[in-house]
Amino acid sequence: MSEDGLDPVIHAPARLRIAVTLAALRDGDNLSFTKLQDLIGLTPGNLITHLRKLEDAGYVTTAKNGRGVTARTSVALTGSGRAALERYTTTLRQLLDSASQPKTRDLLPDAPA
């Protein structure tokens, strides 16, 4: 966790987009690597790198089915990944809400000089 409570694994823009895209699926559903790549707009190498970080954290799983031309890699968000994304969004909302709240000292009248 970073100093502000935001998970650095999810905080990277590309990984956040991946997590949010996968979270839109029903629990247990997955996307093909190619479909995820099309939706996110990353190069295959970039997507692999980000998926590896998410997989190392236990936030996504990947499974390769078939061989050669018929091979298909599917990607799914894990329960831990859903929980991490929920914590991330809750923390981000709290940070944004606190930024929009007037500070107590801002409500006090200016002290005379």
Side-chain angles (χ1 to χ4, degrees):
M1 252 345 120
S2 68
E3 193 175 294
D4 54 14
L6 294 174
D7 185 334
V9 174
I10 294 177
H11 193 61
R15 292 193 294 270
L16 179 58
R17 287 195 331 256
I18 292 167
V20 168
T21 300
L22 294 173
L25 302 174
R26 286 189 313 244
D27 201 17
D29 283 354
N30 61 59
L31 280 177
S32 71
F33 179 91
T34 310
K35 180 67 173 174
L36 182 59
Q37 181 188 351
D38 290 344
L39 291 170
I40 302 297
L42 296 175
T43 64
N46 235 348
L47 182 54
I48 288 169
T49 299
H50 289 295
L51 286 175
R52 200 169 288 136
K53 289 220 183 248
L54 289 165
E55 198 167 21
D56 288 347
Y59 295 169
V60 300
T61 58
T62 58
K64 189 170 188 171
N65 303 314
R67 300 180 125 185
V69 178
T70 62
R72 178 184 186 269
T73 300
S74 59
V75 183
L77 195 63
T78 64
S80 295
R82 284 188 188 278
L85 182 60
E86 183 61 35
R87 283 190 307 274
Y88 178 89
T89 55
T90 298
T91 301
L92 186 57
R93 282 187 186 108
Q94 289 169 347
L95 286 169
L96 294 171
D97 287 347
S98 70
S100 65
Q101 299 293 323
K103 306 293 184 250
T104 305
R105 69 173 184 264
D106 294 340
L107 298 175
L108 298 174
D110 290 337

